[in-house]
Amino acid sequence: VEPIEQLAREPESAAAWRAIAAIALFESGQVDEAHELACSEDFKSVPWDWNWQLAMFNWARACSRLDLGDRAGELYELLEPFSSQLAASGAFVIGSIAWVLGVLAATLGHYEQAEGHFAAAAEIEERFGAPLFLARTHAGWARTLIVRGRPEDLDRAQHMLGQAEDTAARLGAEGITREVAECRATLAATSG
């Protein structure tokens, strides 16, 4: 975390590094520092270069994890025109824009909209043959259903968590396994 944070705080640091630093800080429990980074970023001034999608995708992840609704709204507007694309930077594909739009819509409390984005993401990821992206989509979709909390949502969430968990276990995706565990804990608290 420390080297990424140092790189992110350099004056000429790319927005993508700042976004990745915010995620790393959040994941390591340094929520205030992650919040500071996310609130200080000017998303509209991020250069439209080969790194733009990577930066916006990761800022969306960070702001959603931090539950920053106003920032999530800004990012949603910037990313929505690219909803049918995969986020890529150079040789890296980091996921479907539809997935991150689902995460942002859920952060904003727009659950129906989030479901539409997650369904589109699942279709893209199945067609692309990306089981880890699909598992991440199922986990995010399940989290949204749990938060919305309708009885039929909770049943669907259980099924999606099972799918995500199976894929994560088979392919060694610890981050998805952690997210599934968080969702199951929230589901148990909701049901219990």
Side-chain angles (χ1 to χ4, degrees):
V1 173
E2 193 173 309
I4 294 171
E5 184 183 14
Q6 287 174 351
L7 181 62
R9 294 202 184 271
E10 290 180 11
E12 297 301 315
S13 173
W17 279 113
R18 292 190 296 276
I20 291 167
I23 293 167
L25 288 164
F26 178 85
E27 295 285 330
S28 69
Q30 299 175 62
V31 177
D32 291 340
E33 293 86 348
H35 188 274
E36 178 188 329
L37 270 177
C39 288
S40 65
E41 187 70 26
D42 179 5
F43 301 135
K44 291 183 180 171
S45 72
V46 174
W48 280 76
D49 59 14
W50 62 278
N51 252 342
W52 186 86
Q53 281 188 333
L54 177 68
M56 295 298 103
F57 189 94
N58 282 310
W59 275 124
R61 289 178 55 213
C63 290
S64 293
R65 294 293 287 184
L66 290 161
D67 200 25
L68 298 175
D70 56 336
R71 306 282 12 227
E74 288 178 63
L75 287 159
Y76 186 92
E77 287 181 24
L78 289 168
L79 286 165
E80 203 278 328
F82 308 100
S83 63
S84 64
Q85 295 182 10
L86 293 169
S89 176
F92 299 102
V93 176
I94 58 172
S96 63
I97 300 285
W99 172 77
V100 86
L101 286 169
V103 169
L104 290 168
T107 301
L108 294 165
H110 302 154
Y111 302 121
E112 300 299 323
Q113 200 173 15
E115 276 216 80
H117 288 304
F118 287 131
E123 182 181 317
I124 290 166
E125 293 154 0
E126 284 175 359
R127 196 172 60 238
F128 190 59
L132 288 176
F133 291 162
L134 184 58
R136 181 175 62 183
T137 292
H138 284 145
W141 197 344
R143 181 184 299 274
T144 299
L145 294 171
I146 293 165
V147 170
R148 186 167 61 182
R150 299 187 314 209
E152 65 273 18
D153 287 343
L154 301 181
D155 291 340
R156 289 176 57 214
Q158 280 283 23
H159 177 69
M160 288 180 189
L161 290 173
Q163 291 176 307
E165 187 172 46
D166 290 347
T167 301
R170 185 171 35 91
L171 298 175
E174 292 178 22
I176 295 169
T177 300
R178 276 194 311 274
E179 184 171 2
V180 168
E182 289 171 14
C183 288
R184 287 197 189 283
T186 303
L187 187 57
T190 302
S191 302

